[in-house]
Amino acid sequence: MVASYAAAPPATNKPPPAPESTTIYVGKIAATVTDDLLKQLLECCGKVKSWTRQADPETKQPKAFGFCDMEDAEGVMRCLRILNGREVHGQALLVKANQATQKYVDYYQYEKEEEKRKAALTKEAQAALAAAKKADAGMAEGEGKAKSEEKGEQKGEEADKDPME
């Protein structure tokens, strides 16, 4: 029996390549939350390039929102997943990616899934190759035994013959 292994069809909804953008909006920040605390929360999700909390131009008091540049797409995804809706000092944070960052993250996720799919296909192909080699070895061994048995039968037939005939 020969197994048929076909590659999975490529995904058809590949997002277009996007320039790197890792800026996220952090809003609904309680007035009692310090910038240090917020930066620590962001750093729990990944390396932070910069954190800027907006301030009122007249009073210089911090506003309830700011912008963070993360080092990479993984950090952005963790922030969105972990911090969005997380209650800090009684207020649920609002974490969003702008359109450019969302496109970049979508493309990054697609590429990451493609790598996983290719790795799985490679493992599947390696397993199929190993199984084929094993089957070939078994068949070769079986052919060898069959030839030996056939030769044995021929010798037996020759021994059964009357030498006087």
Side-chain angles (χ1 to χ4, degrees), residues 20-22 70-78 104-105 108:
E20 186 174 327
S21 177
T22 57
M70 299 299 291
E71 184 72 27
D72 55 31
E74 288 288 336
V76 171
M77 291 186 302
R78 278 190 219 101
Y104 174 67
V105 167
Y108 174 83

Side-chain angles (χ1 to χ4, degrees), residues 14-27:
K14 179 179 180 177
E20 186 174 327
S21 177
T22 57
T23 302
I24 57 173
Y25 166 87
V26 182

